[in-house]
């Protein structure tokens, strides 16, 4: 199967600081992945790990400093804004804030069909409004409402309708359940899953919510300080995380079944600044299992049971030391 999206050795650098003392900040540090047609790929990590920056680079909204982004066989990173416009018909983006991403001056009917006007696609906008609202579970009554008259879940459904208006091949969803109640989150995730099957969409999901990942993603990548520390099939990563950071994230994920609950792995200290990256493995300052080699040598990503893991001492269920518990 030919991937619909290919990202190779991607780097994103920012210039920060006062004018006379500016320095480079490496926000995304050499990541590679692909997304296949009809597949959902998830980017996971704490706030500030580089997930949204990576998504914006993939969509051509953020300049890159190295590497490449290829969509449907065409290099995206070399295109101008004007040249990129036709590709945006096939690569849609859902932004994080469900209400704030909608123009407060436009009615829902105009919002969901805006892409037709932007890309000058001839269509019966009334019929398209009805079709799109129906696809996301809303009635035509909503077409006359303004964003401030919508609940968070309804606003997110409108955002989904906007994203799928022109039948894209790939949807990039940045925190699709952010700010929503748990019950509404489930409804939105089920909707995304149904639309993926019905429309044959590929999806790139950016989130820190591991329940979202487990619910919708076929494969996942765990990011730390702009790098991938573990990538692989979602079920395998969840069942036996190989990187200590992945294990820590999963241990903090609430488990409703008390018989399956596990001890939480407490990560000491704060996330290091991107302007002062630690030597060696950048996670060693917080890793409960760090050894001397971790403090000096940068780990290479290696293949382990169908995954790629950047760790000198990958965790093994049979030999894993007991996790450190939070103080009582």
């Amino acid at each position: 199967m030919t991937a619909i999206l290919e990202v190779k050795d991607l780097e994103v650098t920012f210039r920060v600081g006062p004018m006379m003392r500016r320095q480079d900040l490496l926000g995304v540090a050499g990541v590679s992945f692909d997304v296949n047609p009809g597949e959902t790929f998830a980017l996971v990590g704490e706030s500030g790990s580089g997930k949204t920056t990576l998504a914006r680079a993939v969509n051509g909204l953020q300049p890159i400093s190295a590497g490449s982004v290829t969509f449907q066989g065409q290099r995206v990173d070399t295109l101008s804004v004007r040249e990129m416009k036709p590709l945006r018909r096939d690569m849609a983006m859902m932004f994080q804030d469900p209400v704030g991403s909608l123009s407060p001056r436009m009615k829902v009917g105009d919002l969901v069909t805006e892409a037709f006007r932007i890309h000058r696609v001839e269509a019966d906008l009334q019929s398209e409004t009805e079709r799109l609202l129906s696809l996301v579970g809303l009635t035509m009554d909503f077409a006359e409402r303004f964003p401030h008259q919508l609940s968070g879940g309804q606003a997110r459904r409108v955002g989904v309708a906007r994203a799928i208006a022109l039948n894209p091949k790939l949807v990039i969803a940045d925190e699709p359940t952010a700010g929503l109640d748990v019950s509404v989150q489930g409804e939105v995730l089920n909707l995304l899953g149904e639309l993926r099957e019905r429309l044959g969409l590929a999806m790139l999901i950016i989130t820190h919510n591991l329940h979202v990942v487990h619910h919708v993603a076929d494969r996942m990548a765990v990011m730390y300080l702009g790098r991938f520390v573990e990538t692989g099939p979602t079920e395998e990563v969840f069942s036996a995380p190989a990187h200590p950071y992945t294990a820590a994230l999963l241990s903090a994920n609430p488990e409703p079944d008390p018989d399956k609950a596990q001890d939480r792995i407490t990560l000491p200290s704060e996330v290091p600044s991107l302007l002062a990256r630690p030597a060696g493995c950048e996670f060693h300052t917080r890793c409960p299992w760090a050894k001397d080699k971790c403090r000096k040598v940068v780990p290479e990503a290696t293949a382990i049971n169908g995954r790629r893991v950047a760790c000198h001492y990958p965790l093994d269920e049979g030999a894993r030391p007991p996790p450190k518990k939070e103080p009582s």
Side-chain angles (χ1 to χ4, degrees), residues 9 29-32 227-231 242-244 279-283 293-304 307-315:
D9 302 320
V31 303
S32 300
R227 303 186 193 277
F228 285 175
V229 296
E230 183 165 2
T231 60
H243 195 282
C281 174
E282 294 173 338
F283 184 60
K293 181 179 180 180
C294 305
R295 301 178 181 90
K296 300 176 181 178
V297 182
V298 178
E300 294 288 337
T302 56
I304 300 176
R307 284 174 275 167
R308 294 193 64 79
V309 183
C311 182
H312 293 303
Y313 306 101
L315 301 180

Side-chain angles (χ1 to χ4, degrees), residues 74-205:
Q74 186 170 3
R75 285 279 297 270
V76 172
D77 54 285
T78 61
L79 300 180
S80 66
V81 173
R82 184 176 181 178
E83 292 170 331
M84 183 68 190
K85 185 177 178 180
L87 281 185
R88 296 199 191 283
R89 293 183 55 171
D90 289 332
M91 186 193 299
M93 186 149 187
M94 290 169 49
F95 295 96
Q96 182 170 339
D97 186 342
V99 178
S101 60
L102 304 177
S103 171
R105 299 180 180 86
M106 296 176 67
K107 292 182 179 180
V108 166
D110 295 324
L111 287 167
V112 299
T113 56
E114 185 178 21
F116 291 91
R117 292 184 289 275
I118 291 175
H119 291 280
R120 299 180 180 178
V121 177
E122 293 187 7
D124 182 338
L125 297 186
Q126 182 75 6
S127 297
E128 289 298 330
T129 300
E130 186 173 4
R131 176 182 72 88
L132 291 167
L133 291 180
S134 176
L135 280 173
V136 299
L138 297 176
T139 64
M140 275 296 286
D141 295 341
F142 284 88
E144 294 301 313
R145 298 190 189 184
F146 287 94
H148 72 271
Q149 297 173 306
L150 304 175
S151 67
Q154 291 165 350
R156 176 51 77 204
R157 288 175 183 269
V158 171
V160 174
R162 280 168 57 83
I164 65 173
L166 297 179
N167 298 314
K169 302 297 188 299
L170 173 70
V171 172
I172 303 173
D174 189 358
E175 298 286 3
T177 61
L180 303 179
D181 293 338
V182 174
S183 60
V184 180
Q185 289 182 16
E187 294 174 1
V188 171
L189 293 178
N190 289 336
L191 172 64
L192 291 176
E194 291 168 5
L195 291 174
R196 185 184 77 161
E197 294 295 326
R198 184 171 179 174
L199 304 177
L201 294 171
M203 291 190 177
L204 176 61
I205 304 288

Side-chain angles (χ1 to χ4, degrees), residues 21-43:
R21 292 181 293 168
R22 286 184 176 267
Q23 54 184 316
D24 289 337
L25 183 151
L26 190 58
V28 177
V31 303
S32 300
F33 68 98
D34 55 46
V35 181
N36 295 314
E39 179 184 43
T40 297
F41 189 92
L43 301 175

